[in-house]
Amino acid sequence: MSGKRIIHSPEEIIRIRRAAAVTAGVRDEIARLAHPGMTTFDLDRLAGQLINATGGKSAFFNYHGYPGNICISVNDVVIHGIGRPDQIITESDIVSIDVGVSIDGAMGDTARTFWFNEPDKDTKRLLDGTYNALMEGIAAARCGAFVKDISAAVEKCARRHKLGIVRDYVGHGCGIQLHEAPEIPNYTGWGKGPRLEPGMVLCIEPMLNLGTDSVKLDRTDHWTVRTADGKLSAHFEHMILITDNEPEILTWQKTM
């Protein structure tokens, strides 16, 4: 694990804080307006309209060639799902949305998984465990701790809920660029990583599966990542600011 980190200036943090709040608002409005019968393409188009209404632009569209406004990952899709006109959302689906907004020279990045019907026991274990892992990771992100402390907290929670931990994709720094140092794995084993200092902005994002931790990349679109065993996956992500005291959740909304 690299020891690199980025400390943002007070002026940058003002812009990052706004970008994060805007992104969180878009995230929750998408989830509020989503309904069974929509296609994932409809949802992506709605997301583009909501992002444009903020005065910002999608941080994901055309990023390394990504073709969507947001990532829409349904059921066994872990991350990077692309909105499609032939994929209809049903009442039994769980839907993960990953939203990025670029505005005023800063970035917001956040994700949540939502659902329509009351989940069964195993699905609820997945959803609760992934969200709890996010919050326990955030609680560990205190000034003077190390990135490894975040990873250990996420991993411990995932193990407690008996969930597979995706290892191929990790959290990251964010702020002026969409992906900044450091990387934030959801598991331990790669050293301490950098010490956490005030001014660091981090995206903590557990991606957990009901089954194996193994994933596979779609060979057709080269973006969509699915669980190798076809079981469900969930994804929650917050941006946080490291302070002298408790971490500040920049993408907090009451509905998440």
Side-chain angles (χ1 to χ4, degrees):
M1 188 186 295
S2 169
K4 293 182 179 179
R5 59 179 176 259
I6 293 177
I7 308 296
H8 291 284
S9 70
E11 185 276 331
E12 287 174 334
I13 290 170
I14 290 171
R15 291 188 283 123
I16 294 167
R17 188 179 277 118
R18 177 173 181 246
V22 165
T23 309
V26 171
R27 176 201 65 207
D28 287 346
E29 188 68 358
I30 294 168
R32 186 183 74 83
L33 294 173
H35 58 82
M38 297 178 76
T39 67
T40 54
F41 179 78
D42 293 333
L43 198 61
D44 185 77
R45 185 168 55 182
L46 169 65
Q49 292 168 349
L50 292 171
I51 291 170
N52 289 339
T54 70
K57 62 181 181 179
S58 168
F60 298 167
F61 181 72
N62 229 8
Y63 182 74
H64 295 299
Y66 183 76
N69 291 298
I70 63 171
C71 299
I72 306 170
S73 304
V74 180
N75 296 332
D76 65 325
V77 177
V78 181
I79 52 171
H80 301 165
I82 301 167
R84 294 178 6 215
D86 62 342
Q87 184 175 29
I88 298 173
I89 298 170
T90 72
E91 291 183 351
S92 61
D93 288 335
I94 66 169
V95 182
S96 297
I97 53 171
D98 194 349
V99 183
V101 177
S102 171
I103 188 168
D104 293 340
M107 294 286 179
D109 185 10
T110 181
R112 64 178 288 187
T113 301
F114 61 89
W115 55 97
F116 306 100
N117 288 343
E118 185 67 24
D120 62 30
K121 182 179 178 181
D122 281 339
T123 304
K124 189 174 190 305
R125 172 167 58 88
L126 170 68
L127 297 167
D128 290 347
T130 308
Y131 181 74
N132 290 343
L134 168 65
M135 299 311 294
E136 291 183 24
I138 291 171
R142 301 184 68 94
C143 180
F146 292 86
V147 165
K148 182 180 179 180
D149 296 309
I150 301 173
S151 303
V154 172
E155 181 178 40
K156 183 178 179 180
C157 184
R159 299 298 184 203
R160 190 167 69 243
H161 285 84
K162 299 180 180 179
L163 298 173
I165 303 169
V166 174
R167 292 172 174 262
D168 294 27
Y169 302 90
V170 298
H172 53 92
C174 185
I176 302 305
Q177 303 296 324
L178 181 60
H179 292 104
E180 298 177 347
E183 291 189 342
I184 307 169
N186 293 309
Y187 59 94
T188 57
W190 293 95
K192 289 184 177 180
R195 185 187 296 271
L196 304 183
E197 297 184 21
M200 295 174 69
V201 178
L202 309 176
C203 286
I204 300 174
E205 50 177 323
M207 293 156 272
L208 305 181
N209 304 336
L210 263 183
T212 178
D213 58 7
S214 298
V215 298
K216 58 184 180 181
L217 181 67
D218 189 290
R219 294 183 178 181
T220 302
D221 66 32
H222 305 289
W223 280 104
T224 304
V225 177
R226 293 183 172 86
T227 57
D229 58 9
K231 293 187 177 181
L232 297 179
S233 184
H235 180 200
F236 289 92
E237 176 184 16
H238 269 316
M239 283 178 72
I240 65 166
L241 171 67
I242 304 301
T243 73
D244 289 320
N245 299 300
E246 295 183 357
E248 178 185 348
I249 302 177
L250 302 177
T251 47
W252 182 262
Q253 293 284 330
K254 289 187 291 185
T255 55
M256 187 168 177

